[in-house]
Amino acid sequence: MMCELQSLHFSDDGYVVRCKQCGHFQIAFISTILTLTEQDFQLLCSVVRNKYREEDCCPNENVKCIIIPTPCQGIRLILTRKDAKELRHMLEEADSEYKALLLIGLFNQ
């Protein structure tokens, strides 16, 4: 069965899509692609949001010092402060779009 993808966010930094059949999210950012369940997607959004709020540990914004654990065993992202900001923005936009589509779907039933 082929995936029927919904685009939730697309930019020069990456994309977030969701398969309408299986419900999995695919996130592409820098050189990484993650495929996550809805629960894992929400967890990643929360982790990125919280990591970005933490005290800035980087003396230089171009230093990769922010480590983001992912729900995928053994996979972590190491990002600059700027990268973390872009990822947070990308995930927030995708999450907002997904929630809007869910609400629209309630009215179309």
Side-chain angles (χ1 to χ4, degrees):
M1 173 170 56
M2 295 277 297
C3 286
E4 184 182 342
L5 299 176
Q6 285 178 306
S7 178
L8 302 175
H9 176 86
F10 185 85
S11 68
D12 291 343
D13 298 311
Y15 66 82
V16 179
V17 295
R18 179 181 172 275
C19 175
K20 289 182 178 182
Q21 274 82 26
C22 69
H24 284 85
F25 290 76
Q26 186 176 79
I27 301 158
F29 185 71
I30 302 179
S31 62
T32 305
I33 296 177
L34 301 172
T35 300
L36 305 173
T37 64
E38 180 178 353
Q39 181 179 357
D40 287 343
F41 172 73
Q42 294 300 329
L43 177 63
L44 181 64
C45 289
S46 178
V47 167
V48 170
R49 192 176 315 113
N50 291 335
K51 277 286 188 181
Y52 188 78
R53 284 185 193 147
E54 286 179 4
E55 195 66 33
D56 191 2
C57 64
C58 299
N60 179 331
E61 75 172 27
N62 296 317
V63 173
K64 291 188 177 201
C65 65
I66 299 174
I67 298 173
I68 307 286
T70 72
C72 305
Q73 185 176 356
I75 297 176
R76 292 177 284 171
L77 305 175
I78 185 162
L79 305 173
T80 64
R81 183 96 174 132
K82 180 180 180 269
D83 291 341
K85 180 180 179 181
E86 293 301 323
L87 180 60
R88 184 193 70 178
H89 175 73
M90 188 174 90
L91 293 176
E92 284 177 353
E93 285 208 358
D95 189 42
S96 294
E97 180 70 14
Y98 174 61
K99 288 174 180 168
L101 290 170
L102 286 177
L103 284 174
I104 290 168
L106 291 174
F107 292 106
N108 290 335
Q109 290 182 355

